[in-house]
Amino acid sequence: LWEGGGRPLARAWAELGRPLPCAVLVGPEGGFEAGEAARVEAAGFVPAGLGPRILRGETAAVAALAVLAGLRGGGAGP
């Protein structure tokens, strides 16, 4: 998750074909620097965001998991 670029998380999920398993990388307080984001993307992560508001790291992680659980159809199981 990066506030500096990328598509909404739901769109990234759809464009990638609902990848399972998936990993979510949440940036530090203050966000990723552009160079850090470029290295993360080069490692295979797809930049995505949660909307116009900037969330705290711990809140962003919970919000992202809630969005992904909803996109998968609910429950937390496989």
Side-chain angles (χ1 to χ4, degrees), residues 8-35:
L9 181 56
R11 187 177 341 149
W13 175 262
E15 290 173 0
L16 291 171
R18 297 173 52 112
L20 291 176
C22 71
V24 177
L25 183 62
V26 178
E29 296 294 330
F32 289 111
E33 294 180 4

Side-chain angles (χ1 to χ4, degrees), residues 3-76:
E3 74 282 353
R7 60 196 70 66
L9 181 56
R11 187 177 341 149
W13 175 262
E15 290 173 0
L16 291 171
R18 297 173 52 112
L20 291 176
C22 71
V24 177
L25 183 62
V26 178
E29 296 294 330
F32 289 111
E33 294 180 4
E36 292 172 321
R39 287 190 300 277
V40 168
E41 192 171 358
F45 283 83
V46 175
L50 292 171
R53 292 182 177 83
I54 296 177
L55 304 174
R56 295 179 59 92
E58 60 273 13
T59 307
V62 172
L65 294 176
V67 169
L68 291 173
L71 292 170
R72 313 184 47 203

